[in-house]
Amino acid sequence: MSENVVHLRKNPAASAAGTPTLTLAPEPPATPVVPLWVRSGRAIKTALTHERTKGAGRLAARHTMYVVGGTRIVSRRAWDGRTASRYERMLRAAEAAGNYEVAAEWEERGRQFRAARHQRRMDLLRSPVDAAKGVAVGTGMSIGALIALGVALAIANEDIADTITPLMAVIGLIKLLITIVAIVWGPLVTLGPFVALLALWGVGRHQQAAPNWALPERVRNGEGEPITPSIVVKALRDLGVPALRNAIKEMGDAGAAMLGPIRIAGCGVEVDVTLPSGVSTVEVQNKRRKLAENLTRHEHEVFITLPEAARTVRLWIADSGALDEPIGPSPLVTDESLTADYAKGRAPWGQDLRGDAALLSLFQRMLLITGLSNQGKTAALRALVLWLALCRSVEFRIADLKGAGDWAMFEGLATVLIQGPTDEHVIEATEMVESGVQEMNRRLQAPPGTVFPLLLLVVDEAQVAFMCPLVDEDKRPYGGSKATSRYFMGCRKVHNQGRAVNVLLWQGTQDPTDQNLPKLVREGAHTRASLALGTESQARMALGDKAVDGGAAPHLLRQGLDKGTLVIASDGIDIPAGQSSITVRTHYIDTEQATEIAERAKMLRDGVATLHSIERGEQRDPLTDIADVVGDTQRLVTQDVLKRLAALNEDAYGGWSFLDLKRVLDGTGAEPYKSHGRMVIDRDRLARALANRDDDGSVSAAD
C-alpha cells in the first residue's frame, strides 16, 4: 500500500519579508525501475560476449572439427588407396603444367593399378572355394598329426587314454580363447568407438583441420608456421592470377606437383615453382607483397628470382624475424693475421640470404655502390678498401666529398686523402682522378708484359662532383656529363682502359638520377651494388635493366631497417645459376674497428706520405718536393718517387721520367743510386742537399 508524501519547503520571498511560510513542493521524479528480464538479458549478453566464453566456444568448436576433419582426411586416404583417383589427380596436374611426358607416365601407372586391382578382385571370387579346401585339408592334417602324437604318447606311457590327450589339449586352448574373447568383447565394443574418435581427432589436430577462426591465436597469425608444400600451393592459388588459380583447381590436391624440393637455405627455405602453361613469371614477381602475406611473412622476407629453367620462379622465404637479426662480425675484425691478395683473393663482404659467406673478387673490376642516404654505403665501400689495404702493393688515392671523418684512418696509408664537401674539394678530387688518368696513360705506353701494382682511385659521395657548377679558366665545367666535363671525362677514361693496367675507380653515390650519376659512368662499373632505394627506376639506374628484370629489387628494401643490405650484380661474386643478382647482408665495421685494421695495414708498409691537396698553378721547387714525397722513408724507390710527385702536382710532374728526376738531383749529393738491385733515393742525402743549398737555389759542394 503506497503512501502520499507531501514535500514542504520555505518560501524565500516570504522569508525575506519576515513572514516565514511553507509551500508545497512538487514530488521529485521517481527512478525508473528496470524490468528483471532486461537485466537478465544484459547479463546473458555480457556472459556470451566475454573473452573467456569466446575462448571456450572456440575450444569446443576446434576439437569437434578436429574429429570431423580427421574423418574426412582418413576417408580420403582410404578412397585414394582403393581407387585410381590419386593417379587421375597427378595426371591432371601434369597436363595443366604442360608436362605431357610426366602425364603419360602417370597414365601408365594408373593403368597398371587398375589391372592389378582387377586381378585381386578375380582372385577374391575364387578365394571362398580355395579357402574351404584349404581349411578342410588343414583341419584333417592337424587332427591326424594330433592323433599320431597321441599314439606316440600312449605307447611311451603304456596308457591308451593318452591317445586323445593332444587333441583334448587343443580343444581346451580353443575353449580358453573363447572365454577370454567373451570377457574382453564387451569392453572392446564399448571403448572401440572412443578409441576410433581419438585416432580421428589426432589426425585432424595434426593437420589443423578446423576453421581458421577456431584455431589458436598463434596458428591463426601464422607465427612460427613452417613452410610446407600445401602452404606454398595455397599462397599461389590465392595470389589473384586467374590462370594460375584455375590451373591449381584442375590439379585438385596435387598442386604440389608444381613444386620442387623445399630446401633449407640459411635462415629460410628455398623452393622452385614450375608455373602452369599460360602463367608468366612476371605475374608472380609483381605480386610479391601479396605472396608474402599469403605465406604469413612480411614483404622483405620473401625474394622471387628466376632460375635457369623456363617458366620457373625461385622463392626464398625467410624464417619469421630472421632478417632482423644481425650477422656476425667481419673476418677483418676477428682475424688479425688476415692478409689480402688483390689478384687471386676474395674480399669477405658479408653473408648471402642462405647464410653462406659472400666473397667478392676485386681483380680489375670497377665498382659502384649507391643507395639512399644513411643506409651504410660508406661502411660497405670502406670495408672493401680496408681489405685491399692488407695487400701491401696497393696504392690508394681517396677523395671523401662528405668530409665527416669516415676515411680519416687512411692518413698515412693513402698517398692522397681529400676530405671535404666544398667546391674546392671537388676540384681537388677531379684533379686526383685526372692524375690517375695520367698514370694510366704512362702505364699503357710501357713495354708489353709489364706488370703494374694496383692504383685505386676512391671517390665517396661522387654525386657532389657530378653536380659541381664550377668551371675552370678554360671554361670547362668540373661537374656535369658533357664531353667537356672534367670529372665525367676522367671517370670515362679510367673506365675505358684503366683495368688493363690496374688503374681502377670506385665510386659511392646516393639517390641516383641521370644528373648526379650519368648513364655512361654507372654502366662503366663491373661490380654494381645498391642499398635501399626509393623507386624501381632508381634500381634500374643502380643495377641495370637485366638485374631488375631478373628479380633484383633494392627499391623493396626497407629504408632504415635494412641498413647494410646490398643487392649486387657482378661476375666477381658467386650468383646462383640463372640469377642476375644476389642479396648480401654486409658486415658492419665501425670507425674504431676500421682504424685498428688500418693500423695493421700501415705496419705492412714502409711509411706513406699522405697529401691532403693537389697543388695547382704555382712555381715548384723540385728538390723540396722530392724531399716532401720521400718523407720519413729512409730509402724510396725512384718509381715511387715519380708516382708521388705526379700525385703532388700533375701539371708539374705528371710527365716526369727517371731522366728528369736524375737531372734535378745531379750535383746535389743526393743522386739516385742502386740498392738491392733497384734505384733509390736516400732521405738523409736529400736533407744534406737542402741544408747545403745556397740562397740562389744552387747546391754548394759537399764538405
Side-chain angles (χ1 to χ4, degrees):
M1 181 177 180
S2 62
E3 298 180 355
N4 294 327
V5 180
V6 178
H7 297 270
L8 301 179
R9 71 177 182 180
K10 291 183 178 181
N11 189 337
S15 300
T19 307
T21 60
L22 297 175
T23 60
L24 293 174
E27 183 178 355
T31 303
V33 178
V34 179
L36 178 61
W37 64 271
V38 174
R39 294 198 302 271
S40 301
R42 291 176 179 172
I44 294 173
K45 180 180 179 182
T46 302
L48 291 177
T49 57
H50 194 275
E51 190 59 35
R52 291 184 179 178
T53 306
K54 292 181 180 179
R58 283 196 295 267
L59 180 67
R62 178 166 67 249
H63 290 283
T64 301
M65 294 307 298
Y66 282 165
V67 177
V68 176
T71 303
R72 184 181 67 254
I73 293 170
V74 171
S75 301
R76 186 61 176 269
R77 290 174 180 174
W79 178 258
D80 287 345
R82 300 295 298 174
T83 67
S85 59
R86 175 183 302 155
Y87 301 95
E88 294 293 339
R89 285 199 308 273
M90 300 303 291
L91 173 62
R92 291 196 302 270
E95 289 177 343
N99 196 339
Y100 297 106
E101 292 182 1
V102 176
E105 181 181 349
W106 281 111
E107 183 178 15
E108 175 61 22
R109 291 185 182 183
R111 186 194 64 77
Q112 293 175 0
F113 172 82
R114 293 186 184 92
R117 182 180 60 185
H118 175 73
Q119 185 62 40
R120 289 195 301 271
R121 289 175 177 175
M122 296 304 296
D123 293 341
L124 189 62
L125 293 176
R126 295 189 297 269
S127 61
V129 177
D130 295 339
K133 292 179 179 179
V135 169
V137 173
T139 302
M141 293 179 65
S142 300
I143 293 175
L146 291 173
I147 292 175
L149 181 60
V151 170
L153 287 174
I155 295 173
N157 297 331
E158 297 181 353
D159 186 357
I160 191 63
D162 288 341
T163 304
I164 60 173
T165 297
L167 185 60
M168 296 305 296
V170 172
I171 294 173
L173 177 61
I174 295 173
K175 181 180 179 182
L176 177 61
L177 293 176
I178 293 173
T179 303
I180 293 174
V181 170
I183 296 173
V184 175
W185 181 255
L188 285 178
V189 172
T190 304
L191 296 176
F194 295 100
V195 174
L197 286 175
L198 183 61
L200 295 174
W201 174 86
V203 173
R205 181 176 180 274
H206 180 72
Q207 298 292 334
Q208 297 293 329
N212 189 66
W213 58 267
L215 294 174
E217 183 177 358
R218 178 183 62 82
V219 179
R220 292 200 307 272
N221 296 336
E223 179 182 350
E225 185 176 14
I227 299 299
T228 62
S230 61
I231 289 176
V232 176
V233 171
K234 290 178 182 177
L236 294 169
R237 182 193 64 195
D238 300 335
L239 203 54
V241 180
L244 180 59
R245 181 180 61 250
N246 295 335
I248 292 176
K249 285 183 178 179
E250 292 178 3
M251 297 176 193
D253 289 344
M258 300 187 303
L259 309 183
I262 296 180
R263 304 176 296 273
I264 296 177
C267 57
V269 297
E270 186 178 73
V271 58
D272 287 351
V273 181
T274 302
L275 300 176
S277 178
V279 181
S280 169
T281 56
V282 177
E283 293 180 277
V284 177
Q285 285 182 303
N286 292 338
K287 298 280 188 176
R288 178 185 175 188
R289 173 174 294 182
K290 190 169 185 179
L291 178 62
E293 293 172 349
N294 291 347
L295 293 167
T296 65
R297 296 293 190 272
H298 297 290
E299 183 178 11
H300 71 278
E301 294 176 328
V302 174
F303 288 82
I304 306 173
T305 54
L306 303 180
E308 288 182 321
R311 212 173 64 237
T312 302
V313 294
R314 177 168 293 162
L315 306 181
W316 185 85
I317 307 162
D319 298 335
S320 293
L323 293 184
D324 297 326
E325 299 293 331
I327 64 173
S330 170
L332 296 177
V333 176
T334 58
D335 186 0
E336 295 186 358
S337 63
L338 184 68
T339 58
D341 185 343
Y342 160 67
K344 300 179 181 179
R346 288 174 175 255
W349 212 4
Q351 293 180 0
D352 62 18
L353 297 179
R354 296 165 182 80
D356 299 327
L359 304 176
L360 181 66
S361 173
L362 305 176
F363 181 64
Q364 295 187 343
R365 288 180 174 87
M366 309 291 174
L367 178 71
L368 172 65
I369 299 180
T370 187
L372 297 177
S373 178
N374 195 30
Q375 298 303 302
K377 168 179 54 61
T378 296
L381 178 60
R382 188 177 63 189
L384 295 179
V385 179
L386 285 170
W387 180 78
L388 270 183
L390 298 176
C391 179
R392 61 181 303 169
S393 64
V394 179
E395 178 187 351
F396 301 100
R397 300 181 187 179
I398 301 173
D400 174 16
L401 297 181
K402 179 167 58 176
D406 293 331
W407 297 86
M409 68 286 303
F410 283 87
E411 176 76 28
L413 193 56
T415 55
V416 176
L417 179 59
I418 300 167
Q419 300 181 90
T422 66
D423 291 339
E424 182 67 22
H425 292 101
V426 171
I427 294 174
E428 293 174 352
T430 301
E431 294 182 347
M432 182 194 78
V433 173
E434 289 175 342
S435 71
V437 175
Q438 293 293 334
E439 173 63 16
M440 176 191 72
N441 291 334
R442 185 188 70 81
R443 294 183 178 189
L444 288 171
Q445 297 172 18
T450 305
V451 179
F452 298 99
L454 171 64
L455 170 59
L456 181 61
L457 309 173
V458 180
V459 182
D460 195 11
E461 306 295 342
Q463 77 279 356
V464 178
F466 284 113
M467 299 301 291
C468 180
L470 294 185
V471 295
D472 63 12
E473 60 275 7
D474 297 326
K475 305 300 181 182
R476 295 178 59 197
Y478 287 94
S481 57
K482 297 180 180 179
T484 57
S485 300
R486 292 181 60 179
Y487 182 78
F488 169 75
M489 290 306 298
C491 295
R492 289 291 301 135
K493 290 176 181 178
V494 175
H495 281 170
N496 287 340
Q497 296 177 301
R499 66 184 301 270
V501 289
N502 283 328
V503 177
L504 301 182
L505 173 63
W506 290 3
Q507 297 182 93
T509 182
Q510 62 176 261
D511 202 12
T513 65
D514 284 327
Q515 289 71 40
N516 64 25
L517 187 59
K519 184 175 187 293
L520 291 178
V521 171
R522 60 182 186 249
E523 290 187 352
H526 305 97
T527 295
R528 301 167 71 173
S530 176
L531 296 145
L533 289 173
T535 63
E536 182 179 333
S537 62
Q538 287 184 318
R540 292 183 180 276
M541 292 180 189
L543 300 177
D545 292 335
K546 179 181 179 181
V548 175
D549 291 339
H555 55 289
L556 297 181
L557 296 174
R558 301 168 298 167
Q559 184 177 1
L561 297 177
D562 290 325
K563 284 187 177 182
T565 299
L566 285 168
V567 182
I568 304 171
S570 172
D571 62 349
I573 192 171
D574 293 333
I575 297 178
Q579 296 180 205
S580 56
S581 65
I582 188 171
T583 301
V584 171
R585 303 168 69 197
T586 59
H587 297 295
Y588 176 66
I589 302 175
D590 60 32
T591 302
E592 181 179 352
Q593 294 170 337
T595 302
E596 295 176 358
I597 298 170
E599 291 300 322
R600 299 206 314 261
K602 293 174 186 177
M603 295 174 63
L604 300 176
R605 289 165 168 80
D606 192 18
V608 175
T610 299
L611 305 178
H612 297 282
S613 63
I614 305 296
E615 300 293 339
R616 305 176 304 278
E618 62 182 11
Q619 189 67 30
R620 308 298 305 184
D621 181 357
L623 190 59
T624 302
D625 287 343
I626 293 171
D628 288 341
V629 299
V630 170
D632 296 330
T633 307
Q634 181 63 43
R635 287 184 297 273
L636 188 63
V637 178
T638 54
Q639 290 181 350
D640 291 340
V641 174
L642 290 172
K643 288 192 293 185
R644 294 184 183 186
L645 285 173
L648 178 64
N649 191 300
E650 180 64 30
D651 295 334
Y653 304 118
W656 270 34
S657 65
F658 175 77
L659 294 177
D660 297 309
L661 186 63
K662 185 175 182 299
R663 173 179 52 81
V664 171
L665 296 176
D666 279 345
T668 64
E671 295 85 355
Y673 65 94
K674 185 170 290 188
S675 174
H676 300 288
R678 304 184 70 181
M679 297 300 294
V680 299
I681 295 175
D682 187 87
R683 178 192 64 189
D684 296 337
R685 295 183 182 184
L686 280 173
R688 286 195 298 269
L690 288 172
N692 295 331
R693 189 165 57 175
D694 297 332
D695 293 337
D696 61 356
S698 62
V699 179
S700 60
D703 295 335

